[in-house]
């Protein structure tokens, strides 16, 4: 599509908005970058975009001319802009049911997302992944498989790298592995992956989507433009997705951790098996570096997608064994004096932290607690199930968690005032053959800026032992 001279509104000035603006400027569009936060600095936003353009393949002359093509508007939305623009590109963090967005639709202005823009202007095949849990691990693994096979491969989307930022580098031979959130899927129109996957669906983001039905509908949009020539990979053990598999237009390939499938990827005891034209044992889960049934499901989804795309099995198999997982997600840090240390700082809510516990295959000393997001900790405590030998609690939630644990009969609890003190207590209590797990079931705010900083601190302390 030719964007030259078109006046395009980019709604939201975050990482996706800036990347979309850069791509549109490269395509010689007239860009109006809008953000409702009036406290932002318009000149600083222009500088950042010019710097990003200068650092990309834009020439100095192109980057210098951006000032004439780029306008930044902050604060209340000036409705006269609706008469000027021919396209709106929404950042995923902006709700699509805002009154001004409804007015755009009423005025006949197409409302795209950054993903749709990248797909329309980019080249190559797209392999797209969504789901409530496991998206990042599956995306990273599939991305590594593609990097080991293809000369030109990219990993983009919700994983933190805007799709629009890599469009200038794509060719017809490129493969793009995209992690897709429900927010990003709300604003796709022609987006059509060669292979899509929905890993699972459980309640999430209902403050944005309002109903479970709307959330499911957003997730299912990943396959809405696919045909029989394309493949949709689905979790057979998710009843919503099994039903979706009956109505989707794409060729469906299931994966399952609980039963053998006539056609699909499944767990046979401890062996991942790919059954399609022939039945091929892929590898034993003991050969993987990632732990837990949920990670075996992520691995099976990646195998199914890679196989459906035609990737040689020897490359799939080798990459599975090489893949060390995603940082801060049940990440093996080191073994010291016979004790294995795992960083699951990404376990910022009880549901995510339950997966961390389930992945442990030895007695565990657990660090829990942090910022109070008004969560209930009952199911998390029940998931300890004899594995957790000691719970070391920190942060604003420590009393609340301790009360819940004691009510449910778990009393091996120690309180700590600082993160360093908590870590020291773990080292004291852990015996050879045990694990120490940071999987707090809470956000990090109050002690750290984010879960990454918390996880980095944990790893630093392990390395100092």
């Amino acid at each position: 599509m030719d964007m030259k001279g078109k006046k395009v509104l980019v709604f939201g000035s975050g990482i996706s908005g800036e990347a979309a603006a850069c791509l549109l400027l490269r395509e010689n569009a007239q860009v109006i970058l809008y953000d409702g936060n009036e406290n932002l600095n318009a000149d600083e936003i222009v500088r950042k975009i010019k710097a990003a353009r200068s650092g990309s393949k834009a020439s100095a002359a192109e980057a210098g001319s951006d000032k004439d093509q780029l306008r930044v508007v902050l604060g209340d939305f000036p409705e006269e802009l609706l008469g000027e623009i021919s396209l709106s590109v929404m950042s995923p963090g902006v709700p699509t049911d805002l009154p001004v967005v409804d007015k755009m639709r009423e005025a006949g202005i197409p409302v795209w997302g950054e993903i749709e823009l990248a797909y329309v202007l980019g080249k190559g095949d797209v392999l797209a992944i969504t789901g409530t849990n496991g998206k990042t691990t599956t995306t990273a693994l599939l991305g590594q498989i593609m990097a080991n096979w293809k000369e030109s491969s990219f990993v983009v989307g919700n994983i933190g790298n805007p799709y629009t930022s890599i469009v200038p580098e794509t060719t017809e031979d490129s493969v793009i592995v995209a992690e897709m959130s429900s927010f990003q899927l709300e604003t796709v129109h022609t987006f059509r992956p060669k292979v899509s996957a929905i890993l699972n669906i459980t309640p999430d983001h209902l403050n944005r989507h309002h109903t479970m039905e709307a959330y499911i509908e957003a997730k299912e949009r990943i396959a809405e433009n696919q045909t029989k020539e394309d493949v949709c990979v689905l979790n057979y053990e998710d009843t919503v997705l099994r039903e979706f598999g009956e109505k989707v237009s794409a060729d469906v390939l299931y994966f399952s951790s609980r039963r053998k499938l006539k056609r699909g990827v499944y767990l046979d005891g401890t062996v991942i098996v790919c059954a399609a034209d022939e039945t091929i044992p892929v590898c034993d889960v003991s050969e993987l570096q990632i732990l837990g049934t949920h990670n075996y499901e992520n691995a099976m989804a990646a195998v199914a997608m890679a196989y459906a795309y035609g990737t040689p099995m020897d490359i799939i198999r080798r990459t599975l064994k090489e893949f060390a997982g995603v940082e801060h997600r049940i990440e093996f840090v080191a073994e010291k004096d016979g004790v294995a240390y795992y960083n699951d700082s990404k376990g910022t809510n009880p549901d995510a932290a339950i997966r961390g516990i389930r992945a442990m295959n030895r007695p565990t000393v657990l660090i829990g607690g942090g910022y109070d997001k008004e969560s209930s900790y009952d199911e998390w405590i029940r998931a300890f199930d004899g594995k957790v030998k000691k719970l070391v609690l920190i942060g604003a939630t420590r009393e609340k968690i301790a009360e819940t644990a004691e009510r449910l009969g778990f009393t091996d609890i120690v309180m700590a005032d600082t993160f360093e003190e908590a870590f020291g207590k773990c080292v004291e209590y852990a015996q050879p053959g045990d694990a120490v797990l940071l999987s707090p079931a809470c956000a990090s705010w109050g002690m750290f800026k984010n879960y990454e900083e918390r996880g980095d601190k944990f790893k630093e302390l392990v390395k100092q032992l």
Side-chain angles (χ1 to χ4, degrees):
M1 180 182 284
D2 188 4
M3 292 287 172
K4 187 173 183 179
K6 281 195 173 184
K7 197 168 276 192
V8 182
L9 177 77
V10 174
F11 203 128
S13 67
I15 184 171
S16 293
E18 286 178 7
C22 283
L23 179 59
L24 286 161
L25 290 168
R26 182 181 180 274
E27 297 288 321
N28 294 309
Q30 299 282 320
V31 178
I32 302 167
L33 185 62
Y34 169 72
D35 198 295
N37 184 354
E38 61 186 15
N39 296 319
L40 295 174
N41 185 315
D43 291 339
E44 181 59 30
I45 292 168
V46 171
R47 272 196 298 274
K48 279 173 76 177
I49 290 171
K50 285 185 74 172
R53 289 268 287 144
S54 299
S56 72
K57 293 186 178 179
S59 69
E62 283 177 318
S65 69
D66 288 350
K67 191 173 182 184
D68 303 326
Q69 287 180 261
L70 175 63
R71 176 161 44 124
V72 175
V73 177
L74 303 174
D76 292 336
F77 187 85
E79 297 213 357
E80 59 269 21
L81 286 182
L82 297 177
E84 297 181 42
I85 59 175
S86 56
L87 172 67
S88 175
V89 178
M90 309 292 291
S91 296
V94 179
T96 55
D97 57 357
L98 293 176
V100 67
V101 182
D102 288 335
K103 285 179 181 173
M104 288 178 201
R105 294 191 186 99
E106 287 165 15
I109 299 163
V111 177
W112 290 8
E114 180 255 350
I115 294 287
E116 179 71 13
L117 179 70
Y119 180 76
V120 168
L121 297 177
K123 296 172 182 169
D125 293 334
V126 180
L127 313 180
I129 296 153
T130 195
T132 307
N133 294 304
K135 294 188 294 296
T136 302
T137 299
T138 307
T139 302
L141 172 53
L142 185 61
Q144 202 164 309
I145 294 170
M146 291 303 125
N148 286 340
W149 183 37
K150 293 281 190 176
E151 280 187 29
S152 175
S153 69
F154 303 91
V155 178
V156 303
N158 197 53
I159 202 164
N161 185 29
Y163 187 177
T164 43
S165 69
I166 60 95
V167 164
E169 300 168 62
T170 58
T171 69
E172 297 299 343
D173 296 322
S174 296
V175 58
I176 297 99
V177 180
E179 178 186 337
M180 305 284 291
S181 71
S182 55
F183 299 170
Q184 289 168 319
L185 286 164
E186 283 182 314
T187 48
V188 297
H189 298 278
T190 63
F191 179 73
R192 178 187 165 190
K194 281 276 183 190
V195 185
S196 68
I198 311 178
L199 305 178
N200 44 60
I201 294 183
T202 56
D204 202 6
H205 300 304
L206 298 188
N207 58 328
R208 165 83 170 252
H209 297 291
H210 306 305
T211 67
M212 190 63 186
E213 290 73 21
Y215 175 61
I216 292 168
E217 195 177 301
K219 290 290 189 193
E220 292 178 347
R221 291 194 72 186
I222 198 166
E224 74 175 6
N225 294 314
Q226 290 188 294
T227 70
K228 272 292 173 196
E229 295 171 14
D230 310 310
V231 177
C232 181
V233 171
L234 298 171
N235 185 346
Y236 192 81
E237 302 309 325
D238 187 302
T239 51
V240 171
L241 297 178
R242 199 184 309 171
E243 287 172 18
F244 181 60
E246 298 296 319
K247 61 184 182 184
V248 69
S249 298
D251 183 26
V252 173
L253 194 61
Y254 287 108
F255 66 91
S256 172
S257 59
R258 295 186 191 169
R259 70 194 80 203
K260 293 181 182 180
L261 302 172
K262 285 185 179 176
R263 184 171 176 273
V265 179
Y266 59 88
L267 207 51
D268 185 3
T270 60
V271 179
I272 293 174
V273 176
C274 181
D277 302 327
E278 54 183 321
T279 301
I280 309 166
V282 182
C283 70
D284 194 286
V285 295
S286 64
E287 299 174 272
L288 302 178
Q289 296 184 54
I290 50 178
L291 299 175
T293 302
H294 69 287
N295 268 327
Y296 305 154
E297 290 175 343
N298 296 336
M300 288 189 285
V303 168
M305 293 185 77
Y307 180 81
Y309 189 57
T311 313
M313 188 54 76
D314 62 325
I315 289 174
I316 297 174
R317 191 176 283 123
R318 171 166 61 87
T319 313
L320 278 175
K321 295 174 184 178
E322 290 172 353
F323 183 67
V326 175
E327 193 176 17
H328 307 298
R329 295 186 185 216
I330 320 177
E331 174 193 8
F332 175 69
V333 181
E335 186 163 313
K336 303 272 182 161
D337 297 327
V339 176
Y341 289 82
Y342 289 92
N343 164 29
D344 189 38
S345 187
K346 185 76 170 68
T348 59
N349 61 59
D351 190 47
I354 285 169
R355 292 164 180 264
I357 297 292
R358 286 180 178 159
M360 293 298 101
N361 53 11
R362 41 167 95 191
T364 301
V365 180
L366 173 66
I367 299 177
Y371 179 83
D372 192 356
K373 291 197 288 186
E374 306 294 324
S375 296
S376 165
Y377 299 100
D378 294 53
E379 292 306 312
W380 180 51
I381 303 293
R382 289 191 182 103
F384 289 4
D385 197 25
K387 280 187 187 176
V388 177
K389 60 184 277 188
K390 189 73 73 174
L391 175 60
V392 182
L393 290 173
I394 53 173
T397 56
R398 65 183 187 171
E399 302 291 347
K400 180 178 176 181
I401 292 171
E403 286 170 16
T404 303
E406 287 164 359
R407 174 167 51 79
L408 294 171
F410 184 92
T411 55
D412 289 319
I413 299 166
V414 181
M415 299 291 193
D417 293 323
T418 66
F419 192 79
E420 289 81 0
E421 183 191 353
F423 183 82
K425 288 183 184 293
C426 290
V427 175
E428 180 187 333
Y429 291 115
Q431 303 293 316
D434 289 351
V436 169
L437 171 66
L438 169 67
S439 188
C442 300
S444 58
W445 310 316
M447 279 190 171
F448 300 96
K449 281 190 298 188
N450 48 44
Y451 72 81
E452 292 97 336
E453 187 179 87
R454 177 172 62 187
D456 288 340
K457 183 64 178 176
F458 179 78
K459 292 195 284 187
E460 180 190 314
L461 292 169
V462 173
K463 283 166 187 165
Q464 287 171 3
L465 287 175

